[in-house]
C-alpha cells in the first residue's frame, strides 16, 4: 500500500492538473498547497525503513525526485539580487494597527516602486506622509495604491470587478513609470479572496477577476509590464492561468507571504512581461497579516524596448 501511495504522490506532484477543479475547486486547493506535499516523502521513507521494506524506500524516491525537479531549485538557489530595480508588494491589511510603522519599514526597504493593497481612508494619509520623501510620485485607486521614485503618468483604474460585486469595488490600477531604463507599465491589483468551506474552495470571483486583469494586460501597448498585487493564489494555481500565460514569475526564491504568523503560501505576487525577475524574498513582518515581498528586476532584459 505504501508504494502505491508513493506513486500517487509522485503523480500529484508531477501533474496536479489531472485533478478536476470540480466539485469544490479541488484542483486549485491542491495546487495552492502543492510544495507542502513534499513533507510526505520523509514520512514514506521512515515508514519503509522502520518496516524494512526496500520497495517502499525505493518508491519514496520517486516523489522525492519529482518534488526536487519541480521545487528544489526555488529552495536551493536562494535569491539572486542582481537586478537593478527593487520593487515591493505588500497587502498592508485594513486592520493594521500600526500603519506608520509599516510605512517606515517599506520606506527603508531599498525599493524604488511599492504597491499596497487594503488601504483604508483613515490609513491612507499616514502612508502618503511616511512614503513621500522616498517615493514622491504616487497614485491611488480605491483600496490599492502605487508609490514610485520615478515619475508616473497615465494613472488610472483598471476594471477587474467580477459580476455580482458592488460598483464601488475598485481594486485595480495602472500607471506608466518613467525609469532611466525606459517606460514601464505598472499594474497593481487585489483579486477577490478565496474561501474554504464545506462545499470546497470558492474561487469563482477570483478567477473571473484574474481573467479580466489578463485581458487588460494583453491589450497593454507598452512592451514592459510589471504586475504587483495580492492575487489570492499561488503561481501553481490554475485559477491564475490567464495571467501566468502572459506574465513570468521569479525563477528563484520561495517567499511564502501568508499568513504572516506562519506563512504557508505566496499569494502576494510580482509578475512581469519583458522584464527579467532575478529573485524574490520576504521582508520582516509588519502590522499586517501578510509579509511584504521584495523582487529584484532587470529592465534591461532581452526583448524589452
Amino acid at each position: 500500500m505504501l508504494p502505491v501511495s508513493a506513486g500517487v504522490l509522485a503523480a500529484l506532484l508531477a501533474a496536479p492538473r489531472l485533478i478536476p477543479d470540480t466539485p469544490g475547486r479541488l484542483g486549485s486547493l491542491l495546487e495552492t498547497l502543492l510544495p507542502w506535499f513534499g513533507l510526505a516523502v520523509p514520512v514514506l521513507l521512515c515508514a519503509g525503513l522502520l518496516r524494512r521494506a526496500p520497495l517502499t524506500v525505493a518508491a519514496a524516491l520517486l516523489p522525492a525526485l519529482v518534488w526536487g525537479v519541480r521545487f528544489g531549485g526555488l529552495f536551493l538557489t536562494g535569491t539572486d539580487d542582481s537586478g537593478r530595480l527593487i520593487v515591493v508588494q505588500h497587502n498592508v491589511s485594513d486592520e493594521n494597527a500600526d500603519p506608520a510603522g509599516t510605512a517606515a519599514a517599506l520606506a527603508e526597504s531599498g525599493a524604488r516602486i511599492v504597491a499596497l493593497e487594503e488601504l483604508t481612508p483613515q490609513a491612507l494619509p499616514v502612508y502618503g506622509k511616511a512614503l513621500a520623501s522616498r517615493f514622491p510620485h504616487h497614485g491611488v485607486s480605491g483600496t490599492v495604491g502605487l508609490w514610485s521614485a520615478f515619475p508616473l503618468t497615465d494613472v488610472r483604474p483598471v476594471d477587474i470587478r467580477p459580476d455580482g460585486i458592488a460598483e464601488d469595488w475598485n481594486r485595480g490600477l495602472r500607471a506608466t513609470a518613467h525609469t532611466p531604463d525606459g517606460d514601464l507599465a505598472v499594474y497593481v491589483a487585489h483579486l477577490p479572496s478565496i474561501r474554504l468551506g464545506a462545499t470546497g474552495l470558492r474561487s469563482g470571483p477570483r478567477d473571473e477577476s484574474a481573467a479580466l486583469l489578463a485581458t487588460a494586460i494583453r491589450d497593454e501597448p507598452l512592451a514592459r509590464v510589471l504586475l504587483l498585487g495580492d492575487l489570492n493564489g499561488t503561481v501553481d494555481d490554475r485559477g491564475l492561468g490567464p495571467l501566468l500565460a502572459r506574465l513570468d514569475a521569479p525563477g528563484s526564491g520561495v517567499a511564502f507571504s501568508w499568513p504572516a504568523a506562519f506563512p504557508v503560501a505566496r499569494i502576494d505576487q510580482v509578475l512581469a512581461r519583458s522584464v527579467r525577475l532575478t529573485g524574490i524574498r520576504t521582508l520582516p513582518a509588519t502590522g499586517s497579516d501578510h509579509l511584504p515581498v521584495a523582487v529584484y528586476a532587470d529592465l534591461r532584459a532581452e526583448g524589452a524596448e
Side-chain angles (χ1 to χ4, degrees):
M1 191 63 184
L2 288 176
V4 173
S5 298
V8 171
L9 177 61
L12 289 176
L13 289 169
R17 298 206 174 189
L18 292 176
I19 302 298
D21 219 18
T22 54
R25 305 279 178 169
L26 181 60
S28 287
L29 179 60
L30 168 69
E31 289 158 346
T32 297
L33 301 173
L34 198 59
W36 293 97
F37 278 65
L39 294 176
V41 172
V43 174
L44 289 170
L45 284 171
C46 289
L49 292 171
L50 289 172
R51 295 186 181 188
R52 298 182 180 180
L55 181 59
T56 298
V57 173
L61 295 178
L62 180 59
L65 176 62
V66 175
W67 188 94
V69 169
R70 181 153 191 163
F71 299 110
L74 296 177
F75 286 86
L76 296 178
T77 57
T79 296
D80 178 359
D81 61 358
S82 62
R84 300 181 64 191
L85 175 66
I86 301 175
V87 300
V88 167
Q89 146 62 27
H90 192 26
N91 179 327
V92 295
S93 174
D94 54 12
E95 297 180 352
N96 192 326
D98 184 22
T102 298
L106 296 174
E108 297 299 322
S109 66
R112 307 302 302 280
I113 292 174
V114 172
L116 305 182
E117 298 83 44
E118 293 199 13
L119 293 168
T120 65
Q122 297 77 21
L124 180 57
V126 179
Y127 288 109
K129 180 178 179 180
L131 296 173
S133 61
R134 296 290 179 93
F135 308 97
H137 312 281
H138 80 281
V140 175
S141 181
T143 58
V144 302
L146 175 67
W147 276 261
S148 172
F150 311 114
L152 298 175
T153 60
D154 194 21
V155 180
R156 55 180 171 80
V158 176
D159 185 6
I160 58 171
R161 181 173 60 90
D163 287 341
I165 293 183
E167 292 185 3
D168 60 352
W169 189 94
N170 189 352
R171 294 186 180 183
L173 178 151
R174 184 259 182 223
T176 299
H178 302 280
T179 81
D181 293 309
D183 291 351
L184 174 69
V186 183
Y187 286 76
V188 182
H190 184 189
L191 302 189
S193 299
I194 57 177
R195 295 287 184 263
L196 182 61
T199 59
L201 196 70
R202 182 177 179 269
S203 63
R206 191 275 315 266
D207 298 349
E208 184 181 348
S209 191
L212 292 169
L213 181 57
T215 298
I217 290 172
R218 179 200 66 190
D219 296 337
E220 170 58 50
L222 289 182
R224 289 182 292 195
V225 175
L226 276 182
L227 166 62
L228 303 94
D230 175 0
L231 303 187
N232 272 305
T234 71
V235 294
D236 296 301
D237 188 333
R238 71 191 69 181
L240 300 186
L243 288 169
L244 272 299
R246 301 186 178 280
L247 299 169
D248 297 320
S252 65
V254 180
F256 292 153
S257 64
W258 180 88
F262 186 78
V264 298
R266 185 175 83 235
I267 63 175
D268 297 274
Q269 307 292 351
V270 178
L271 307 175
R273 182 179 78 193
S274 296
V275 175
R276 190 168 67 96
L277 303 179
T278 62
I280 185 170
R281 65 185 178 94
T282 54
L283 300 178
T286 67
S288 173
D289 58 341
H290 293 240
L291 294 178
V293 169
V295 169
Y296 302 89
D298 188 348
L299 299 186
R300 302 164 299 170
E302 184 178 355
E305 296 179 359

